[in-house]
């Protein structure tokens, strides 16, 4: 039985007994997660594992699982475990790229052109995710830059989609 304390300081890869790697086997992660959920569920356990639920460990188990299953959150957690700060000293070209993205979107008047632009950003995210999977894991600076770019594009898309469906 694995009891946790503060998951924010934990290594989720270690928590599931997986190697520290962005390219983890998601199927193995899922099976480990489901097995732990099954073993430690109150309906199928007695004694010690009941305390698993009493001390909020289920929420921690779920948080760890959700973090590693999401490719952007996994990238950020991977960097955290490798002791790389995601926001320290971003390259100037990164800020310029973010500014240009906003400017371009704001300048598009035609809705179908806006949708094409947003689709190009979604495709760019897919390309970046592919780059992360193929990047040497010791190239942490590139990994950090791509992760920041992913997080920004994802945030940008979420904000645009919220505004696109608002009733203002």
């Amino acid at each position: 039985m694995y009891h946790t304390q503060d998951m924010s300081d934990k290594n989720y890869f270690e928590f599931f007994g997986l190697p520290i790697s962005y390219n983890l086997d998601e199927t193995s992660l899922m099976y480990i997660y489901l097995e732990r959920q099954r073993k430690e569920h109150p309906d199928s356990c007695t004694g010690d594992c009941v305390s698993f639920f009493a001390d909020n460990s289920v929420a921690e188990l779920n948080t760890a699982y959700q973090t590693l299953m999401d490719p952007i959150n996994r990238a950020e957690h991977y960097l955290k475990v490798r002791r790389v700060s995601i926001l320290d000293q971003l390259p100037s070209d990164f800020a310029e790229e973010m500014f240009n993205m906003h400017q371009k979107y704001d300048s598009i008047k035609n809705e179908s052109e806006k949708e094409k632009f947003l689709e190009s950003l979604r495709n760019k995210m897919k390309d970046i995710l592919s780059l992360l999977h193929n990047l040497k894991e010791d190239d942490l600076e590139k990994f950090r830059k791509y992760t920041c770019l992913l997080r920004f594009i994802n945030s940008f898309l979420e904000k645009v989609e919220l505004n696109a469906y608002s009733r203002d």
Side-chain angles (χ1 to χ4, degrees), residues 1 3 39-42 44-54:
M1 162 110 36
H3 289 280
K39 279 183 182 176
E40 297 163 347
H41 194 278
S44 62
C45 71
T46 59
D48 260 359
C49 73
V50 173
S51 67
F52 178 80
F53 287 87

Side-chain angles (χ1 to χ4, degrees), residues 92-139:
S92 60
D93 63 330
F94 178 81
E96 185 177 337
E97 188 172 351
M98 301 306 97
F99 178 78
N100 290 338
M101 187 184 306
H102 273 290
Q103 291 293 94
K104 181 169 182 175
Y105 181 77
D106 290 341
S107 71
I108 300 171
K109 304 298 180 206
N110 181 308
E111 286 302 314
S112 67
E113 289 301 314
K114 280 189 175 192
E115 187 51 45
K116 285 180 187 175
F117 178 71
L118 296 176
E119 187 59 31
S120 74
L121 291 179
R122 290 181 196 100
N123 289 333
K124 185 172 187 167
M125 286 182 69
K126 291 175 188 172
D127 293 343
I128 294 169
L129 286 169
S130 181
L131 286 170
L132 286 179
H133 281 290
N134 294 315
L135 195 62
K136 290 182 182 176
E137 292 199 5
D138 61 345
D139 195 347

Side-chain angles (χ1 to χ4, degrees), residues 1-167:
M1 162 110 36
Y2 189 97
H3 289 280
T4 63
Q5 292 137 16
D6 180 11
M7 287 303 290
S8 64
D9 294 332
K10 292 288 183 182
N11 174 336
Y12 296 159
F13 300 100
E14 183 181 89
F15 181 74
F16 285 108
L18 297 169
I20 299 171
S21 174
Y22 180 74
N23 295 316
L24 60 79
D25 180 355
E26 291 178 3
T27 303
S28 292
L29 172 60
M30 182 184 67
Y31 283 125
I32 294 167
Y33 168 76
L34 292 174
E35 180 63 18
R36 287 186 59 183
Q37 283 281 37
R38 186 189 62 74
K39 279 183 182 176
E40 297 163 347
H41 194 278
D43 291 342
S44 62
C45 71
T46 59
D48 260 359
C49 73
V50 173
S51 67
F52 178 80
F53 287 87
D55 69 4
N56 209 21
S57 295
V58 171
E60 294 169 345
L61 177 64
N62 291 336
T63 298
Y65 177 70
Q66 291 166 358
T67 297
L68 293 183
M69 286 301 285
D70 179 272
I72 298 172
N73 290 335
R74 182 185 332 136
E76 289 176 351
H77 186 72
Y78 173 76
L79 288 169
K80 180 181 162 191
V81 168
R82 299 287 305 267
R83 294 183 166 43
V84 175
S85 174
I86 221 170
L87 298 176
D88 288 348
Q89 300 174 334
L90 289 173
S92 60
D93 63 330
F94 178 81
E96 185 177 337
E97 188 172 351
M98 301 306 97
F99 178 78
N100 290 338
M101 187 184 306
H102 273 290
Q103 291 293 94
K104 181 169 182 175
Y105 181 77
D106 290 341
S107 71
I108 300 171
K109 304 298 180 206
N110 181 308
E111 286 302 314
S112 67
E113 289 301 314
K114 280 189 175 192
E115 187 51 45
K116 285 180 187 175
F117 178 71
L118 296 176
E119 187 59 31
S120 74
L121 291 179
R122 290 181 196 100
N123 289 333
K124 185 172 187 167
M125 286 182 69
K126 291 175 188 172
D127 293 343
I128 294 169
L129 286 169
S130 181
L131 286 170
L132 286 179
H133 281 290
N134 294 315
L135 195 62
K136 290 182 182 176
E137 292 199 5
D138 61 345
D139 195 347
L140 294 175
E141 187 53 37
K142 279 186 182 176
F143 199 94
R144 181 176 74 98
K145 181 180 177 186
Y146 290 142
T147 301
C148 289
L149 188 55
L150 269 175
R151 175 57 67 200
F152 178 82
I153 294 171
N154 190 56
S155 175
F156 179 82
L157 289 170
E158 286 175 352
K159 288 176 185 173
V160 167
E161 289 171 2
L162 284 175
N163 289 337
Y165 297 111
S166 69
R167 295 180 183 205

